[in-house]
C-alpha cells in the first residue's frame, strides 16, 4: 500500500472484491485482475456471477479471525486460518533460508540478501482496512500511519531478525510513498524488526524524484518499480536469495532466487 491501492467496494487503483477473491479466500491469494468476475467472463452476464459483497466481507473477517476490542478496533487472531497459513509459509522459508544462507559462506561470493514488501507482508493492514470499511484513500492511510502502528504479520519479525542474524542483509521494498518514510520506519522498529532501517535498506516510491536506476521514472508499474529496485540492490553486490510479497506484482520481473507469496484476499495490485 501505498502500496498504491486498496480494497474498496468500487473498483479503483487495485482490483476490488469479486468472484476471484471468493475463490482465492481458501488460499489467501487474489488471482484475477480488474473486472474479471469469473475465469470465463470478464464482464458478468448475470448477477449470479457476482458474489454478495457483504458475504465476501464476512468471509474475509472469518478468515482473519476478526477480533474486536472494547473501543471498536479490529484485529486478526493469532489462532485464525490466516495466521495458520502464514506460519506454514514461514516454516518453509526458514527451512529454505537455512540452506541458502549456509551456502554463502565461501569467500568472494556476493552477500546474501532478502527483500520484503511492507503492507501485508511484514506489517498487517487488517485493522486499517476494517477501520476504513475496505475503502482505501491516500488521505485515510496518511492519517492512520501518522499515529498508529500496524501489527507485524504474525511471526515475520522473528523470521526477519533470524535471517539477519544468520547473515542476510534485509531490504524493505514498498509501494508506499516517500512521504510516509518516517511513519513506516517507526512502525517497523516499534513492532520488533531489529534490522537496519536507514535509506539504504528501506525503499519507498518517490514519484517526484525517481531514482536514476529506474528507466521508467515516475511512470513505473509496480512490477517495473519493484523488479528494477531489486536489480539495483543486486548491482550493489548482493545476491537476493529470497523475495517476499503479498502481491504477485511484488514477486515478478526477476532479480531474486526464490519467491514467497504471502496470503492477502483483501485487494489485488497488478
Amino acid at each position: 500500500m501505498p502500496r498504491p491501492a486498496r480494497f474498496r467496494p468500487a473498483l479503483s487503483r487495485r482490483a476490488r472484491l469479486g468472484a476471484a477473491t471468493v475463490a482465492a479466500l481458501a488460499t489467501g491469494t487474489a488471482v484475477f485482475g480488474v473486472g474479471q468476475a469469473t475465469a470465463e467472463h470478464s464482464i458478468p452476464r448475470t448477477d449470479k456471477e457476482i458474489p454478495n459483497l457483504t458475504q465476501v466481507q464476512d468471509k474475509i473477517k472469518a478468515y482473519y479471525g476478526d477480533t474486536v476490542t472494547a473501543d471498536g478496533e479490529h484485529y486478526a487472531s493469532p489462532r485464525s486460518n490466516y495466521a495458520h497459513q502464514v506460519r506454514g509459509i514461514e516454516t518453509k522459508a526458514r527451512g529454505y533460508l537455512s540452506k541458502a544462507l549456509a551456502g554463502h559462506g565461501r569467500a568472494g561470493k556476493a552477500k546474501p540478501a532478502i527483500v520484503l514488501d511492507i503492507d501485508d507482508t511484514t506489517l498487517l493492514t487488517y485493522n486499517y482496512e476494517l477501520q476504513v470499511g475496505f475503502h482505501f484513500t491516500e488521505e485515510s492511510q496518511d492519517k492512520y500511519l501518522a499515529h498508529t502502528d500496524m501489527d507485524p504479520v504474525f511471526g515475520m519479525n522473528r523470521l526477519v531478525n533470524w535471517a539477519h542474524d544468520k547473515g542476510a542483509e534485509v531490504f524493505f521494498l514498498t509501494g508506499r510513498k516517500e512521504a510516509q518514510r518516517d511513519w513506516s520506519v517507526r512502525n517497523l522498529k516499534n513492532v520488533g524488526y531489529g534490522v537496519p532501517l536507514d535509506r539504504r535498506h528501506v525503499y519507498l516510491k518517490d514519484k517526484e524524484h525517481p531514482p536514476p536506476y529506474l528507466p521508467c521514472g515516475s511512470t513505473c508499474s509496480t512490477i517495473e518499480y519493484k523488479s528494477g529496485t531489486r536489480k539495483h540492490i543486486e548491482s550493489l553486490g548482493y545476491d537476493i536469495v529470497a523475495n517476499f510479497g503479498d502481491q504477485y506484482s511484488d514477486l515478478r520481473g526477476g532479480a531474486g532466487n526464490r519467491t514467497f507469496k504471502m496470503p492477502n484476499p483483501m485487494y489485488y495490485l497488478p
Side-chain angles (χ1 to χ4, degrees):
M1 323 183 292
R3 262 168 134 262
R6 297 304 184 144
F7 164 89
R8 53 185 125 169
L11 291 175
S12 66
R13 288 178 299 173
R14 295 188 181 194
R16 303 308 172 184
L17 286 180
T21 307
V22 177
L25 282 171
T27 61
T29 62
V31 295
F32 298 115
V34 175
Q36 210 162 348
T38 69
E40 295 80 19
H41 308 135
S42 60
I43 299 177
R45 295 180 178 176
T46 73
D47 65 307
K48 294 181 176 61
E49 295 183 16
I50 305 173
N52 181 279
L53 187 58
T54 300
Q55 291 177 338
V56 171
Q57 291 181 0
D58 289 344
K59 285 181 179 290
I60 289 175
K61 292 177 183 178
Y63 169 64
Y64 280 94
D66 187 50
T67 302
V68 186
T69 65
D71 57 359
E73 297 292 320
H74 290 258
Y75 294 95
S77 168
R79 295 181 296 276
S80 65
N81 287 338
Y82 167 77
H84 176 76
Q85 187 176 357
V86 166
R87 283 193 291 270
I89 296 169
E90 291 166 359
T91 298
K92 291 180 180 178
R94 187 180 289 255
Y96 163 75
L97 288 171
S98 294
K99 297 177 181 178
L101 296 177
H104 272 266
R106 297 185 297 276
K109 192 161 186 177
K111 182 174 176 61
I114 62 173
V115 174
L116 307 103
D117 173 51
I118 290 184
D119 289 299
D120 294 300
T121 298
T122 49
L123 298 178
L124 184 57
T125 72
Y126 183 75
N127 175 257
Y128 164 75
E129 299 286 1
L130 269 290
Q131 188 175 110
V132 300
F134 299 104
H135 185 85
F136 169 86
T137 64
E138 289 192 1
E139 293 75 17
S140 68
Q141 191 193 47
D142 283 348
K143 182 178 179 180
Y144 188 93
L145 295 178
H147 304 289
T148 308
D149 283 337
M150 294 177 174
D151 288 337
V153 170
F154 296 113
M156 283 300 289
N157 49 356
R158 293 190 296 272
L159 178 67
V160 167
N161 294 341
W162 170 84
H164 185 256
D165 290 343
K166 292 294 182 181
E169 199 77 9
V170 177
F171 296 94
F172 295 90
L173 173 55
T174 175
R176 288 185 180 186
K177 59 190 177 184
E178 178 62 34
Q180 296 173 329
R181 176 177 295 276
D182 289 347
W183 306 332
S184 302
V185 169
R186 179 210 68 214
N187 195 162
L188 289 166
K189 182 178 179 179
N190 285 350
V191 298
Y193 287 95
V195 297
L197 296 171
D198 55 30
R199 288 180 176 271
R200 290 183 56 252
H201 294 87
V202 182
Y203 289 85
L204 292 91
K205 201 166 191 178
D206 190 345
K207 287 188 175 183
E208 287 72 28
H209 305 285
Y213 57 77
L214 291 177
C216 48
S218 61
T219 65
C220 288
S221 67
T222 300
I223 294 175
E224 290 172 330
Y225 160 62
K226 295 214 166 184
S227 65
T229 304
R230 291 195 301 273
K231 290 171 184 174
H232 168 69
I233 292 171
E234 288 186 331
S235 75
L236 299 176
Y238 294 97
D239 178 23
I240 300 174
V241 297
N243 179 27
F244 295 79
D246 65 290
Q247 302 290 317
Y248 288 109
S249 53
D250 296 332
L251 309 175
R252 291 174 175 152
N257 300 344
R258 180 163 174 177
T259 61
F260 289 91
K261 172 69 170 64
M262 306 301 290
N264 183 1
M266 292 188 290
Y267 53 86
Y268 173 81
L269 176 59

